[in-house]
Amino acid sequence: MSTDEPSVPIVCDECETETRVPLDDLADALDKHNAQKHDGEAVAEVDPAIKDRLADLVAEDLGLFDEEAAEEG
C-alpha cells in the first residue's frame, strides 16, 4: 500500500480485530470479511468514529448545518 493512498480503519467487534485498508479497497474488504467470517451479515464496519466524522464533514460541506440553523432561527 502506498503511503500517499488514504487508508480506512475497519473494526469487527465479534472477531475483536481492527485493520486498515486502502480507501479504494474498502467495500471489497468489508464484503469479503463479512462473507467469510459472518455468513454475509454486516458485522465488520468502518470505525464508527470515522463514519461519524465523515458524516459531519459531508454535512458541513453541503451546508446542511447552515440550513438547520436557519430553520431554528
Side-chain angles (χ1 to χ4, degrees), residues 37-66:
K37 304 287 185 182
H38 308 293
D39 295 323
E41 185 180 341
V43 176
E45 63 180 354
V46 172
D47 184 329
I50 299 296
K51 286 194 309 186
D52 290 346
R53 181 65 180 132
L54 285 173
D56 288 346
L57 290 171
V58 169
E60 184 178 314
D61 190 50
L62 295 174
L64 299 178
F65 291 134
D66 296 337

Side-chain angles (χ1 to χ4, degrees), residues 8-65:
V8 180
I10 294 177
V11 295
C12 182
D13 292 335
E14 194 169 304
C15 293
E16 297 181 352
T17 58
E18 181 175 335
T19 189
R20 295 184 77 87
V21 297
L23 183 58
D24 289 343
D25 299 335
L26 178 61
D28 289 337
L30 284 171
D31 289 344
K32 182 178 178 181
H33 175 90
N34 287 326
Q36 290 178 346
K37 304 287 185 182
H38 308 293
D39 295 323
E41 185 180 341
V43 176
E45 63 180 354
V46 172
D47 184 329
I50 299 296
K51 286 194 309 186
D52 290 346
R53 181 65 180 132
L54 285 173
D56 288 346
L57 290 171
V58 169
E60 184 178 314
D61 190 50
L62 295 174
L64 299 178
F65 291 134

